[in-house]
């Protein structure tokens, strides 16, 4: 049997250990290489001319041969005016890439030895860049869709519940509670939880080659898992005529009007005998759930879309080597332009709203 792709040595062609052995200039040159392909063909961000512009080695800056503008390798990117050395930035990026379930900012701050605020802004900028290059074109072929609940506090409030003598007694108590308050009745503690609850719906296109899982992921933060959201997302992001697989939630029933819709009865099985499942969508949730449970311990609605998209990116690039992912991640940073959401964050400039899917 073929070796699992994660065990391959070729995967480890870039690591934080490797960055540790690099000098500040090597790290800077890596940025230049990824942005412009080298020193021979730098691009002036002011006038856009590609040339071998005048390089001032001591300042790691260029002067444009045509418009005299000064620029550096981070000009016009989220890292513009950075105070961190290139080595620390590259080290942080290596840690970010190696963390399969995402990275906590506390961990990042400790590992790179940077201020917690610096770590938060750096992480925010990486997520912002990935959000900028998220999949937006229509998915085709076979698509798995599912919704999952994320965010909010644990439901049990201040007091411990007396232990139940049996499962039967526990179930009876639950039933009594439902009878008393009605199915919609929620205690005060529960409302607190629901205020910050959101539904992450993800749509995943399967790789054309069988056995390679999904290769493109689109996520959206919704206020409910219902027909309106499901139809809006599916019609925006899926080519008509594609095969769509979901569980038997009533939210997805109407999809059969536009797509070849197949369902798996989740109460009984994970996949039907003829191969219908939404396992790739579940697989995405597995990663996001591990982030919320084991890495960050909390997920705020305001940044849920950023994080959900980061995990979608991690899913999609999971088979790449570390160096390929470094190029993709830094490529997305260089495409982003100046940061819209994190520039001046600690001076009070930050995105006012969450990024909800609007129907
Ligand atoms: Zn110029």
């Amino acid at each position: 049997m073929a070796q699992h792709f994660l065990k391959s040595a070729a995967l480890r062609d870039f690591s934080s250990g490797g960055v540790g052995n690099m000098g500040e200039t090597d790290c800077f040159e890596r940025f230049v290489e990824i942005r412009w392909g080298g020193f021979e063909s730098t691009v002036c961000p002011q006038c856009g001319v590609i040339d071998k512009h005048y390089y001032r080695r001591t300042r790691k800056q260029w002067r444009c041969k045509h418009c005299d503008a000064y620029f550096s390798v981070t000009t016009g990117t989220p890292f513009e005016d950075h105070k961190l050395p290139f080595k620390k930035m590259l080290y942080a990026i290596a840690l970010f890439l190696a963390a399969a379930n995402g990275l906590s900012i506390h961990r990042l701050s400790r590992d790179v030895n940077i201020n917690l605020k610096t770590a938060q802004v750096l992480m925010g900028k990486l997520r912002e860049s990935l959000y900028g290059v998220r999949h937006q074109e229509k998915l085709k072929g076979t698509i798995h869709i599912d919704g999952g609940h994320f965010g909010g506090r644990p439901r049990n409030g201040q007091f411990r519940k007396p232990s139940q003598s049996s499962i039967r007694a526990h179930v009876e108590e639950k039933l009594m509670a439902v009878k008393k308050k009605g199915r919609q009745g929620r205690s005060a503690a529960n409302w607190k939880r629901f205020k910050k609850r959101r539904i992450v719906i993800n749509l995943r296109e399967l790789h054309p080659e069988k056995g390679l899982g999904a290769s493109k992921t689109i996520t959206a933060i919704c206020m409910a898992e219902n027909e309106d959201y499901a139809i809006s997302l599916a019609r925006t992001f899926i080519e008509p005529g594609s095969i769509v697989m979901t569980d038997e939630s009533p939210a997805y029933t109407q999809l059969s009007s536009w797509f070849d819709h197949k369902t798996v009865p989740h109460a009984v099985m994970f996949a039907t005998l003829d191969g219908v499942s939404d396992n790739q969508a579940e697989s995405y949730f597995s990663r996001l759930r591990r982030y919320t449970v084991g890495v960050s311990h909390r997920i705020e609605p305001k940044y849920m879309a950023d994080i959900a998209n980061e995990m979608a990116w991690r899913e999609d690039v999971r088979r790449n080597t570390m160096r390929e992912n470094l190029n993709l991640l830094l490529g997305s940073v260089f495409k982003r332009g100046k940061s819209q959401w994190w520039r001046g964050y600690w001076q009070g400039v930050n995105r006012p709203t969450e990024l909800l899917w609007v129907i």
Side-chain angles (χ1 to χ4, degrees):
M1 199 185 146
Q3 188 189 37
H4 189 273
F5 67 89
L6 284 178
K7 290 182 181 170
S8 149
L11 208 78
R12 304 189 301 270
D13 53 0
F14 173 71
S15 69
S16 54
V19 176
N21 291 331
M22 286 163 74
E24 172 67 9
T25 313
D26 297 333
C27 295
F28 162 70
E29 283 170 1
R30 185 62 73 85
F31 273 73
V32 175
E33 201 182 292
I34 296 174
R35 183 160 190 192
W36 296 309
F39 283 73
E40 298 298 312
S41 53
T42 47
V43 184
C44 167
Q46 188 81 28
C47 65
V49 173
I50 307 170
D51 205 333
K52 193 179 174 186
H53 296 292
Y54 304 117
Y55 178 51
R56 308 172 83 198
R57 185 179 299 277
T58 47
R59 304 190 64 176
K60 292 194 175 71
Q61 270 189 346
W62 288 263
R63 184 163 65 83
C64 177
K65 274 185 180 174
H66 306 267
C67 73
D68 277 344
Y70 284 94
F71 60 92
S72 78
V73 70
T74 55
T75 301
T77 76
F79 292 156
E80 184 171 297
D81 298 332
H82 64 99
K83 294 173 195 77
L84 282 182
F86 285 101
K87 181 161 176 169
K88 282 198 172 185
M89 289 203 285
L90 202 59
Y91 194 87
I93 288 170
L95 294 175
F96 180 87
L97 291 174
N101 300 320
L103 189 58
S104 107
I105 54 166
H106 289 272
R107 174 80 195 263
L108 183 62
S109 143
R110 289 189 291 257
D111 274 351
V112 189
N113 188 16
I114 49 177
N115 192 305
L116 186 63
K117 290 179 173 184
T118 313
Q120 182 171 358
V121 168
L122 180 63
M123 182 76 86
K125 285 177 176 174
L126 292 178
R127 286 185 182 140
E128 177 184 349
S129 306
L130 289 177
Y131 194 80
V133 297
R134 68 194 184 280
H135 278 296
Q136 298 195 69
E137 67 276 28
K138 289 196 176 202
L139 306 175
K140 49 184 185 289
T142 305
I143 290 107
H144 289 184
I145 307 181
D146 200 12
H149 296 234
F150 289 86
R153 294 176 189 204
R155 86 178 80 208
N156 290 330
Q158 180 187 5
F159 298 105
R160 293 187 66 167
K161 298 229 159 42
S163 63
Q164 298 293 346
S165 55
S166 71
I167 295 174
R168 190 192 164 89
H170 178 72
V171 172
E172 276 169 1
E173 189 204 48
K174 288 261 170 203
L175 287 174
M176 279 302 289
V178 169
K179 235 185 213 169
K180 236 195 235 164
K181 288 189 280 191
R183 197 162 281 276
Q184 294 303 316
R186 283 168 187 163
S187 65
N190 258 350
W191 276 118
K192 225 178 195 173
R193 170 187 165 86
F194 278 94
K195 215 170 104 185
K196 292 196 167 182
R197 277 254 124 159
R198 298 290 180 270
I199 314 294
V200 179
I201 295 185
N202 81 86
L203 304 89
R204 303 197 73 199
E205 178 185 305
L206 261 54
H207 196 283
E209 200 176 319
K210 207 172 178 319
L212 289 185
S215 51
K216 285 179 190 166
T217 310
I218 289 174
T219 57
I221 311 300
C222 306
M223 295 304 286
E225 188 181 9
N226 62 23
E227 233 168 42
D228 297 339
Y229 278 107
I231 292 172
S232 156
L233 284 167
R235 295 202 65 193
T236 311
F237 291 121
I238 303 176
E239 287 274 357
S242 304
I243 301 169
V244 174
M245 297 183 182
T246 67
D247 57 24
E248 288 186 321
S249 158
Y252 306 109
T253 320
Q254 286 291 325
L255 294 185
S256 49
S257 310
W258 294 278
F259 312 101
D260 181 2
H261 182 214
K262 299 179 174 171
T263 58
V264 50
H266 252 180
V268 209
M269 57 180 81
F270 296 114
T272 65
L273 283 175
D274 45 357
V276 177
S277 78
D278 67 349
N279 286 347
Q280 291 306 319
E282 302 288 352
S283 169
Y284 165 81
F285 284 138
S286 161
R287 195 181 294 257
L288 184 55
R289 191 70 67 193
R290 278 160 174 72
Y291 171 81
T292 61
V293 173
V295 177
S296 77
H297 310 295
R298 180 208 296 236
I299 184 165
E300 292 289 327
K302 189 167 169 185
Y303 297 111
M304 204 180 280
D306 310 50
I307 293 162
N309 180 67
E310 177 199 331
M311 296 306 145
W313 183 79
R314 287 183 187 283
E315 274 287 318
D316 290 348
V317 303
R318 69 197 180 283
R319 288 173 183 273
N320 293 354
T321 70
M322 287 282 286
R323 189 177 292 231
E324 284 168 341
N325 286 344
L326 169 70
N327 292 345
L328 285 174
L329 178 61
L330 269 184
S332 76
V333 167
F334 293 140
K335 271 186 209 144
R336 179 66 183 169
K338 285 185 196 177
S339 174
Q340 294 164 8
W341 300 333
W342 293 93
R343 206 176 157 79
Y345 179 81
W346 290 106
Q347 287 75 46
V349 186
N350 49 69
R351 192 176 77 207
T353 50
E354 23 178 323
L355 302 170
L356 283 172
W357 182 254
V358 185
I359 47 172

